[in-house]
Amino acid sequence: MISHPKRHLRQFPAIKIGRLAVCESTKKERKGIGRALVNFVINLALEQNSNCACQLITVDAYSQSLNFYTKLGFKFLSDSDKGDDTRQMYLDLRPLMNTAYDISA
C-alpha cells in the first residue's frame, strides 16, 4: 500500500514496465538508450493523462538495475523484497503532472 495524506488506497492507475533491456555493447558505451526508453514511457503516460488516469509507473527491477531506476527517480515500494532477485519500484507522476500543468498555464 502506498500512503496518501488523506487515505490509503489499494489500487492506483499505473503503467508497468514489463521488460526493458539494452544490448551489452550499448550499455558499455553509455549512450543513454535506457534512459531515453524510460523517458519515452514517462512522456507517454503524461500525454495519456488527458484521456485516462495514470499516477504511477512501476517496475520489478533486477538487482543490477536498481541504481539505474533510482537515478531516474524511482522509489522502492517496500523493504519486504530487499535481497530478492527483483525489487518493486515506482515513479510517482504527480509532481511531473503538476509541473507540466504549471508550465502550460
Side-chain angles (χ1 to χ4, degrees):
M1 231 188 310
I2 300 172
S3 64
H4 184 277
K6 295 183 181 177
R7 63 192 175 278
H8 291 287
L9 301 175
R10 293 191 181 277
Q11 298 178 354
F12 286 86
I15 290 176
K16 182 170 191 114
I17 297 175
R19 295 280 184 208
L20 176 71
V22 295
C23 68
E24 286 296 323
S25 63
T26 302
K27 197 182 302 184
K28 289 176 186 171
E29 295 173 16
R30 303 187 67 83
K31 293 186 181 257
I33 293 173
R35 179 181 294 269
L37 289 169
V38 173
N39 284 337
F40 176 80
V41 173
I42 292 169
N43 288 331
L44 179 66
L46 292 172
E47 288 173 11
Q48 291 303 312
N49 266 305
S50 62
N51 297 321
C52 61
C54 181
Q55 182 177 335
L56 304 173
I57 296 176
T58 65
V59 64
D60 295 334
Y62 287 108
S63 57
Q64 65 266 26
S65 302
L66 296 178
N67 287 335
F68 169 76
Y69 286 108
T70 302
K71 287 178 186 175
L72 292 174
F74 283 75
K75 296 180 179 156
F76 296 106
L77 189 60
S78 74
D79 286 332
S80 65
D81 56 359
K82 200 171 193 176
D84 289 353
D85 291 341
T86 61
R87 299 233 15 223
Q88 292 181 332
M89 300 182 79
Y90 72 96
L91 178 69
D92 189 349
L93 294 172
R94 287 177 299 172
L96 297 172
M97 287 185 273
N98 294 338
T99 303
Y101 177 76
D102 291 343
I103 292 172
S104 65

